[in-house]
Amino acid sequence: MDITDKYAVYGNPIKHSKSPQIHKLFAEQTGEHMVYRSHQVELGKFADAAQSFFDNGGKGLNITLPFKLDAYEFAGQLSDRARLAGAVNTLALQGDGKIYGDNTDGAGMVRDMQHNLGWQIEGKRILLLGAGGAVRGVIEPIAKQNPSLIVVANRTVGKAQKLAHDFAEYGDIRGCSYEALHGNQFDIIINGTSASLAGELPPLETNLLSDEACCYDMMYGAEPTPFMRWSAENMAWAVADGLGMLVEQAAESFCIWRGVRPKTREVIDAMRAQLEG
């Protein structure tokens, strides 16, 4: 009889997901008895696949593109941060049989910045590039660290302005075009666009960085992204990719499921070595 708790990540495509390796390392480190696999789900079939998973003894799911909105709709109960993000990347079976939906992306990024990289967010001027789901998911966790200003810049200005409006109660948050950034400088610039995946760069001026600016790309890879190269060329004080965010958001999910927080530093180092190997 198989008594090992079952977890998985659902997405499409899913082949290149690092989540199974990350959670395997977490389980080994903490002594938790669990299996974690990846599953490619057919488009339009998420709810059926998730229901079947939980009906057959599954305990929790991670959700990646393009199903985070489907997971939001599927969850029977939502965390505040999932409701604000409008998306779910973690589903957990509760004791009462309900499925709890959470979004750990923003918390993962903030934890990576503060605990792994040693960056300070409080009192800083933050620039977020892009106005899609990735950016929406991190605004509230960043705002909770009390920056002096958050600016969302996007090609489609209306999307940036809508995000600023939606999160207005959390601080000084503004939306604008890339052109409207002219003459302004920021302490932390975060690339939340998908431009890096295409080897491209948002249309940025060269004078956006303050004297000790830190630049963060939510994407990651074996080589620096175009945004990371731009940051270094423009004398950023520190530059980082999103591998730490990936591991930290996974640790947050693991903690929701198992009630124990794994140590992430050694896992980030292991994943980095594998990526660059």
Side-chain angles (χ1 to χ4, degrees):
M1 181 174 153
D2 183 6
I3 57 170
T4 305
D5 289 342
K6 297 182 179 69
Y7 297 87
V9 57
Y10 277 12
N12 187 337
I14 200 66
K15 187 168 69 171
H16 301 297
S17 174
K18 308 287 185 193
S19 295
Q21 295 136 281
I22 292 170
H23 284 281
K24 183 173 185 288
L25 292 171
F26 286 165
E28 290 171 353
Q29 180 197 113
T30 59
E32 294 291 307
H33 297 290
M34 56 184 285
V35 293
Y36 186 109
R37 298 193 171 96
S38 60
H39 292 286
Q40 180 161 308
V41 177
E42 285 184 53
L43 300 180
K45 298 292 181 66
F46 175 82
D48 291 342
Q51 190 63 57
S52 176
F53 175 82
F54 287 110
D55 286 347
N56 286 284
K59 298 292 186 182
L61 288 172
N62 279 138
I63 313 300
T64 187
L65 296 174
F67 298 121
K68 292 185 181 183
L69 293 177
D70 298 86
Y72 182 90
E73 297 296 332
F74 180 81
Q77 185 180 349
L78 291 168
S79 69
D80 289 341
R81 59 190 181 186
R83 194 173 287 108
L84 284 165
V88 159
N89 78 334
T90 304
L91 292 170
L93 179 65
Q94 303 289 84
D96 60 3
K98 287 184 180 177
I99 307 300
Y100 173 74
D102 202 350
N103 190 312
T104 66
D105 286 332
M109 188 187 74
V110 167
R111 189 172 178 86
D112 186 38
M113 286 181 175
Q114 294 180 324
H115 292 268
N116 300 325
L117 301 171
W119 298 1
Q120 180 179 321
I121 298 174
E122 184 176 2
K124 302 297 185 182
R125 293 167 59 85
I126 313 291
L127 172 60
L128 285 163
L129 308 176
V135 168
R136 186 178 186 93
V138 303
I139 293 178
E140 182 255 0
I142 291 172
K144 281 193 167 180
Q145 305 308 310
N146 299 313
S148 64
L149 171 68
I150 297 176
V151 173
V152 180
N154 192 54
R155 291 179 192 272
T156 306
V157 183
K159 287 184 178 180
Q161 291 172 336
K162 184 178 188 310
L163 279 186
H165 176 267
D166 289 349
F167 289 88
E169 66 184 279
Y170 294 95
D172 188 355
I173 303 174
R174 308 173 194 177
C176 68
S177 66
Y178 288 113
E179 293 76 17
L181 296 172
H182 180 74
N184 291 280
Q185 290 191 326
F186 298 89
D187 304 307
I188 298 177
I189 302 179
I190 301 164
N191 182 26
T193 73
S194 57
S196 292
L197 293 175
E200 298 171 355
L201 182 72
L204 301 172
E205 294 187 359
T206 58
N207 59 349
L208 292 173
L209 283 66
S210 68
D211 290 341
E212 294 186 353
C214 299
C215 295
Y216 193 98
D217 199 326
M218 291 192 202
M219 303 298 158
Y220 64 91
E223 301 293 330
T225 66
F227 173 74
M228 292 172 71
R229 290 196 297 271
W230 174 88
S231 302
E233 288 163 4
N234 285 281
M235 307 302 289
W237 181 74
V239 182
D241 69 6
L243 185 65
M245 175 182 176
L246 177 72
V247 175
E248 291 293 351
Q249 64 81 22
E252 191 86 1
S253 295
F254 191 92
C255 191
I256 290 166
W257 295 329
R258 310 301 295 180
V260 57
R261 178 174 289 280
K263 296 174 183 173
T264 52
R265 182 73 264 170
E266 60 197 62
V267 176
I268 292 171
D269 290 345
M271 297 307 296
R272 178 73 67 193
Q274 184 189 92
L275 197 64
E276 295 175 351

